[in-house]
Amino acid sequence: MSRRRKETLHELGLTPIWHRRADSALEKSAPSTLASDQSVSKVNAAKAVINDREAQISRMDWAQLKATVAGCIACRLCESRTQTVFGVGGEQANWLFIGEGPGAREDKTGEPFVGQAGKLLDNMLRSIQLRRGEGVYITNIVKCRPPNNRAPEPDEAEQCRPYLERQIVLIKPKLIVALGKVAAQNLLHSNENIGNLRGMLHSYADIPLIVTYHPAYLLRSLSDKAKAWEDLCFAKATMQSLLAQ
Ligand code: URA
């Protein structure tokens, strides 16, 4: 074997080259099996912690859930929030509206949708004879304000998911309305855009779900207001047929 080839093999960590194949396989497999066993058990331990957290949240009543959300430090959003924004409305509401995450005004007041987008949401509700708090519950995918009004990161939404799931189980809404892309994509585990998701009846944990535009988007894009109106009419008609069942 040439010196150059020996040097190359050495650089690649393939020397000494005279080991029998079986020996070198044994030598290499023992420590790496140990290492992979250790990382598998670390992953399993982490999974157990996550499952335990989810299991605890899934048993909470309203008071426990609110207190747990208020003290949540499960993701980086806790570092920049003023307070958590849990949700507002009737705790047995038929309608559940889910937005993306609190903005600056919501972070200050602790109530979802109180800024400009919130005013538009209130008008949207009024247009189908609904009012905040009366048979309507409003919350968000994440309970803390993402800095600079950015969209929540997937890991942030994932940490908040058990809270939203518990809220939904406790409320038992007849219909969920996902407001905007972030809410729709998270609830439906989809990458589709709003244009493809709206106009049809989806389901979330066996609860009918309708997608419409986020009020903040509608403030910037007046041309889509007509489509949002169609969505609201569709939601109203769906609710009527659900109540008639
Ligand atoms: N946008 C949202 O998605 N949620 C709020 O609570 C406010 C603005």
Side-chain angles (χ1 to χ4, degrees), residues 85 98-107 111-118 121 132 138-142 149 179 182-183 214-216:
V85 179
I98 303 178
E100 175 176 320
R105 293 283 300 274
E106 291 77 18
D107 177 68
E111 184 168 335
F113 283 100
V114 289
Q116 282 307 309
L121 177 60
R132 177 183 292 246
I138 304 170
T139 189
N140 284 304
I141 293 291
V142 293
N149 295 337
L179 299 165
V182 170
H214 191 286

Side-chain angles (χ1 to χ4, degrees), residues 149-168:
N149 295 337
R150 66 162 170 77
E153 299 288 346
D155 65 310
E156 296 160 355
E158 178 55 22
Q159 291 301 325
C160 251
R161 179 182 52 77
Y163 299 140
L164 181 60
E165 283 176 0
R166 187 61 186 153
Q167 283 177 306
I168 294 173

Side-chain angles (χ1 to χ4, degrees), residues 87-216:
V88 70
E91 291 178 352
Q92 304 289 300
N94 282 344
W95 292 84
L96 174 59
F97 288 80
I98 303 178
E100 175 176 320
R105 293 283 300 274
E106 291 77 18
D107 177 68
K108 277 209 178 80
T109 60
E111 184 168 335
F113 283 100
V114 289
Q116 282 307 309
K119 287 201 182 99
L120 179 55
L121 177 60
D122 286 341
N123 288 337
M124 290 163 73
L125 294 177
R126 254 193 295 276
S127 74
I128 50 168
Q129 295 79 49
L130 295 177
R131 267 179 193 283
R132 177 183 292 246
E134 292 173 22
V136 173
Y137 197 92
I138 304 170
T139 189
N140 284 304
I141 293 291
V142 293
K143 313 301 189 211
C144 296
R145 180 191 180 204
N148 307 316
N149 295 337
R150 66 162 170 77
E153 299 288 346
D155 65 310
E156 296 160 355
E158 178 55 22
Q159 291 301 325
C160 251
R161 179 182 52 77
Y163 299 140
L164 181 60
E165 283 176 0
R166 187 61 186 153
Q167 283 177 306
I168 294 173
V169 169
L170 289 169
I171 297 168
K172 300 185 203 64
K174 290 211 180 308
L175 180 64
I176 298 174
V177 180
L179 299 165
K181 184 173 101 170
V182 170
Q185 291 187 342
N186 273 284
L187 292 166
L188 297 173
H189 303 293
S190 165
N191 289 322
E192 287 290 345
N193 61 34
I194 289 282
N196 291 337
L197 293 173
R198 59 174 289 279
M200 63 182 92
L201 197 58
H202 303 272
S203 116
Y204 172 91
D206 290 335
I207 301 166
L209 183 150
I210 286 173
V211 172
T212 191
Y213 294 100
H214 191 286

